[in-house]
Amino acid sequence: MRNTERKREPDMTAVLIKAVAFVSIIIMGYLLKRAGFFQAKDFYLISRIVIRITLPAAIVSNFSRITMDYSILFVCAIGFLCNCVTVAAGYVMYARRTKALRAFAMINMSGYNVGNFTMPFVQSFLSPVGFAATSLFDAGNAVMCTGMTFTLAGMVIGEEEKPSIKKAVLNLFSSAPFDAYVIMTVLSILNIKLPSVLVTIADTAGGANAFLALLMLGIGFEIRMEKEKMSHILRILVVRYILAVFMAVGFYFLAPFGLDVRRALVIVSLGPVSSVAPAFTGALNGDIETASAINSLSIVISIAAITAALIILL
């Protein structure tokens, strides 16, 4: 995979300034919500704009600047397998506990919030090649976190008899970012270029993705925890991030890809839990409040982890 325009390597100060800017946007969203400027329902409005407009546009924009190498398609499988590892870890960790706890851990320790969280970092610090690799990882990630993990967790507690492949496929292709991944990957492999006017539109809309995604995270940020649930929350997060660090180190030193792709794999592996985890937890009548706390805390941890990784790697 080759990119036609490569970003200049940022120094440590630039990385820290950008990370502070990202955190500031998240804090701004949170404070504006507390001040009443945003309502809880605004999270869903901005989420729809990000998922259906700005993120697909950013995918089109960045894929338009690369020539696809067939070997990079393996990154899709990596995204899928990383989910399998975290789902299995959640199951094993609570193997001797109730079925409900096993299902809870499977959902809330797996999945990667790539589109809303990781993409802004990648978009700002890595080349279009790194962005494309992140997108391909998310395509594999989406197979699990948009339905398959939920189905497996449902099987554990007895609400699903077998995985629904048809349902998973329909969920995937009803996702605008996933459709954009597939279309742009095929066009890149075939070396088919989009008209320049479409690329310009995508550049403009995609440029807003990072800001809106981070603002949305701030609006949705909420941590409400009961003391007796703290050990449960910490256990899941500690195991999740121990696995993430091992994956990140393994990808950087062992993956048979170029530097841009290996950097992207490090960043996505340190990303937070999938943003749909609390919703799927609720669908299985699980503890939504604890799931939301895990999700929000994973954002805080991932900001620190990805910033540290960028300082080391760039």
Side-chain angles (χ1 to χ4, degrees):
M1 183 184 286
R2 303 187 304 277
N3 58 305
T4 55
E5 57 180 63
R6 186 180 182 83
K7 292 189 177 183
R8 181 175 59 85
E9 300 285 355
D11 58 22
M12 183 185 299
T13 302
V15 172
L16 288 173
I17 290 173
K18 182 71 74 171
V20 169
F22 282 3
V23 173
S24 298
I25 294 170
I26 294 173
I27 292 173
M28 179 176 68
Y30 178 75
L31 293 177
L32 287 173
K33 180 185 69 172
R34 294 296 300 268
F37 185 86
F38 288 118
Q39 305 298 322
K41 63 182 181 181
D42 294 325
F43 173 88
Y44 300 100
L45 172 62
I46 297 177
S47 175
R48 285 198 297 273
I49 294 173
V50 169
I51 296 299
R52 299 179 184 180
I53 301 175
T54 63
L55 178 55
I59 292 167
V60 171
S61 174
N62 282 275
F63 267 75
S64 297
R65 289 170 169 74
I66 64 170
T67 299
M68 185 69 70
D69 184 336
Y70 290 100
S71 65
I72 200 65
L73 294 176
F74 186 65
V75 175
C76 286
I78 292 176
F80 179 84
L81 292 172
C82 285
N83 274 266
C84 291
V85 169
T86 50
V87 169
Y91 181 89
V92 171
M93 189 168 66
Y94 286 99
R96 297 184 179 181
R97 304 290 291 275
T98 65
K99 292 180 178 180
L101 273 178
R102 264 178 278 164
F104 181 91
M106 289 168 67
I107 291 175
N108 288 281
M109 200 161 72
S110 65
Y112 296 85
N113 187 350
V114 176
N116 298 333
F117 181 89
T118 311
M119 284 298 190
F121 283 92
V122 173
Q123 205 172 349
S124 297
F125 292 111
L126 302 186
S127 69
V129 170
F131 186 97
T134 303
S135 299
L136 291 171
F137 180 97
D138 194 31
N141 169 59
V143 174
M144 291 294 289
C145 71
T146 60
M148 192 61 70
T149 298
F150 172 74
T151 301
L152 293 172
M155 291 174 63
V156 167
I157 61 176
E159 293 194 5
E160 290 278 355
E161 294 181 0
K162 61 181 179 179
S164 175
I165 297 176
K166 180 180 179 181
K167 186 188 296 185
V169 170
L170 288 175
N171 285 338
L172 283 175
F173 282 96
S174 65
S175 165
F178 185 80
D179 292 341
Y181 295 151
V182 172
I183 292 170
M184 293 307 299
T185 298
V186 172
L187 293 180
S188 297
I189 290 173
L190 298 176
N191 200 27
I192 297 175
K193 302 298 182 182
L194 292 175
S196 58
V197 64
L198 292 181
V199 175
T200 301
I201 293 171
D203 289 344
T204 303
N209 184 66
F211 174 78
L212 287 177
L214 293 166
L215 185 70
M216 180 192 71
L217 289 175
I219 295 171
F221 190 88
E222 201 65 58
I223 299 178
R224 295 176 181 174
M225 293 177 290
E226 298 175 16
K227 290 183 178 180
E228 58 267 24
K229 295 180 180 178
M230 276 299 299
S231 61
H232 183 45
I233 292 170
L234 292 175
R235 186 179 184 187
I236 287 177
L237 288 173
V238 167
V239 174
R240 160 81 181 204
Y241 282 95
I242 287 175
L243 288 173
V245 170
F246 276 110
M247 288 178 183
V249 172
F251 288 144
Y252 189 76
F253 290 104
L254 303 176
F257 302 116
L259 182 60
D260 286 335
V261 176
R262 287 185 283 121
R263 284 172 172 170
L265 288 173
V266 169
I267 292 175
V268 292
S269 63
L270 295 173
V273 175
S274 171
S275 59
V276 300
F280 282 141
T281 299
L284 290 177
N285 298 314
D287 188 340
I288 299 175
E289 194 170 273
T290 302
S292 297
I294 290 172
N295 211 273
S296 295
L297 283 170
S298 74
I299 290 172
V300 176
I301 296 169
S302 288
I303 289 173
I306 290 176
T307 301
L310 287 169
I311 292 172
I312 294 169
L313 298 179
L314 297 181

